Amino acid sequence: MMTTATEIAERIRRGEVTSRAATEGMLARIAGDDAVNAVVETRAEFALRAADAADAAVAEGRAVGPLHGVPMTIKECFNVAGMRTTWGNPAFAEYVADRDATVVERLSRAGAIIVGKSNVHTMLADFGQTSNEIYGRTNNPADLTRTPGGSGGGGAAATAAGLSYLEYGSDLVGSIRLPAAYCGVYGLKPTTGLVPLQGFQVPGPPELPNEFPNLSTIGPLARSAADLRTALRVTGGPAAPFSWELRPSRRQRLADFRVGVVSDHAAAPVSSEVGAALSETIDRLGRSGAKIVEGWPDGVDPDEQAEAFGSQVELFFALHGGAPSSASLAEVIEQERRRMVGRQKWQQYFEDVDVFLCPTSFTAAFPHDDRPFEERTIRTSYGEQRYDAQAFWIAHASLIGHPALSMPIGQTPDGLPVGAQVIGPWHEDDTAITFAELLAA
């Protein structure tokens, strides 16, 4: 099992390993990667200087942060001063950021060292694949002929392949959770708005804050649930002078959790391999003593919610420079009403249930597909499935803004990772993280 970010930080603080050695090792692995193509730009000189400074702080006994000396990567679409921010678009190939995104500033204050950027799909416009004209295609470390997911497949692949101890990504249509599931790592979409978005934008003048509709969320990918917690603690909350603390988990023992469960649905029926892994996981939960509550929340129609999410995504892109929405004002108001009613139904559900467990995707990682988007399908054990069905299982947490993470729960007979999704209560991200941590243990 590969070392986690939390573990390497502790070893650096204790003086068992140097940040210099950890950083040199990561840079060497990145330089030697000629198969996965996950990390597309590095800043070795900066990283090594930062590592030496981190080691000096330990030697002098200075107080250090929870990610002290940990080399990590970040999704290519975040601004990092002195590095290119292209969004995989040749039109922005020479754009160099002049300041750090807020999340980069916060990770750096916690001691992390951003050594490089991970690959993205062009303009983050594909939730199932990661490829662009500047950096090429990223492959899944478990099977190079298959996708790592999108749009941030580079970060998930880097974390899975040992090319990064920790990654920070973004999630609008599952771009954290789907790659995490396909690559066999952990990925958290925090409560919407919890982590500031400043510096996560298309190259150009700074964008004004826009909270309608507020679907896009940024969060960490890691090798353990504990790493997700550490990363969220140092990146979450509003800017000073306001303060924020991660609310503790409702439960501390797996047996005490009340777990809602849905393992299949006709809109995106799971493959036999995914279904088998989910079934075993649910059986394991039952044996642990956790209370299992089967079925969707009362009053929630998952098909209607998935449709509502699609409408919200259309509005999101219209408000961010995409094609104008054809929706009337009355239709926009109705969509907002549906979104808030959905959130209310889920919040009522979480009064009696602690977490909701369901698939992250109906399939494991599938072969690369270069056909036009509308022509793509995914072959499963029961036949061909629509490509856009990948959005069904991740749509519900995205629509209502609740925290949701993907965690690895097993493998297919061919050795491909299988992920499950854990949705938590509003602003109770650590309840979902702790559940995943205890289930993995």
Side-chain angles (χ1 to χ4, degrees), residues 63-375:
V64 297
L67 291 172
H68 186 76
V70 176
M72 64 171 289
T73 53
I74 195 163
K75 195 172 181 179
E76 203 273 351
C77 51
F78 287 92
N79 285 338
V80 178
M83 299 189 77
R84 293 195 298 169
T85 305
T86 74
W87 286 57
N89 187 338
F92 306 130
E94 302 306 321
Y95 179 83
V96 177
D98 60 3
R99 62 176 300 174
D100 290 337
T102 297
V103 70
V104 174
E105 294 174 352
R106 292 181 174 186
L107 288 164
S108 299
R109 282 202 300 268
I113 301 171
I114 308 294
V115 304
K117 287 190 164 190
S118 57
N119 203 18
V120 298
H121 195 82
T122 307
M123 297 301 293
L124 317 189
D126 194 333
F127 44 75
Q129 298 183 105
T130 294
S131 180
N132 62 73
E133 293 181 30
I134 300 176
Y135 299 119
R137 184 170 69 189
T138 297
N139 301 312
N140 193 310
D143 181 342
L144 300 178
T145 69
R146 294 176 182 263
T147 180
S151 63
T159 306
L163 307 177
S164 181
Y165 283 106
L166 184 68
E167 160 79 8
Y168 225 90
S170 65
D171 192 307
L172 174 64
V173 188
S175 290
I176 288 173
R177 289 165 287 165
L178 288 170
Y182 295 151
C183 292
V185 297
Y186 293 78
L188 171 68
K189 182 201 81 67
T191 298
T192 299
L194 181 55
V195 183
L197 297 173
Q198 285 84 0
F200 164 57
Q201 66 172 77
V202 176
E207 294 181 352
L208 292 173
N210 186 349
E211 296 182 353
F212 175 73
N214 191 4
L215 299 181
S216 187
T217 308
I218 61 177
L221 295 98
R223 297 178 193 154
S224 73
D227 283 0
L228 298 180
R229 181 186 297 110
T230 300
L232 186 61
R233 277 179 172 157
V234 303
T235 57
F242 303 102
S243 61
W244 169 84
E245 289 185 358
L246 182 63
R247 183 175 178 178
S249 172
R250 293 182 178 186
R251 314 290 174 194
Q252 298 300 325
R253 297 192 318 136
L254 192 59
D256 295 335
F257 271 87
R258 302 163 297 177
V259 186
V261 169
V262 169
S263 59
D264 205 358
H265 190 76
V270 300
S271 67
S272 58
E273 298 89 352
V274 171
L278 278 166
S279 178
E280 168 56 29
T281 299
I282 295 168
D283 289 346
R284 194 150 44 93
L285 270 174
R287 292 193 297 270
S288 77
K291 180 182 178 182
I292 306 296
V293 181
E294 295 188 358
W296 295 93
D298 288 343
V300 167
D301 184 322
D303 297 294
E304 287 186 1
Q305 282 207 338
E307 180 185 350
F309 175 63
S311 299
Q312 291 286 346
V313 171
E314 180 183 341
L315 284 174
F316 176 91
F317 284 120
L319 287 167
H320 288 79
S325 173
S326 60
S328 67
L329 178 59
E331 289 170 333
V332 170
I333 292 172
E334 174 59 19
Q335 289 297 338
E336 271 301 282
R337 188 196 70 81
R338 292 173 68 184
R339 183 168 75 97
M340 298 313 296
V341 167
R343 180 182 293 176
Q344 182 183 50
K345 296 294 185 184
W346 280 92
Q347 289 176 345
Q348 290 171 346
Y349 173 77
F350 282 119
E351 292 175 3
D352 298 314
V353 172
D354 299 314
V355 293
F356 182 81
L357 182 70
C358 66
T360 306
S361 175
F362 64 88
T363 182
F366 49 90
H368 295 295
D369 193 340
D370 296 324
R371 291 176 294 176
F373 192 94
E374 62 277 6
E375 296 179 11

Side-chain angles (χ1 to χ4, degrees), residues 16-54:
E16 297 175 0
V17 66
T18 64
S19 176
R20 174 88 184 200
T23 303
E24 285 181 334
M26 178 178 292
L27 289 167
R29 290 191 294 275
I30 293 171
D33 170 38
D34 58 0
V36 177
N37 189 35
V39 181
V40 294
E41 183 180 2
T42 59
R43 49 176 184 173
E45 187 175 333
F46 168 91
L48 292 174
R49 285 201 308 269
D52 288 340

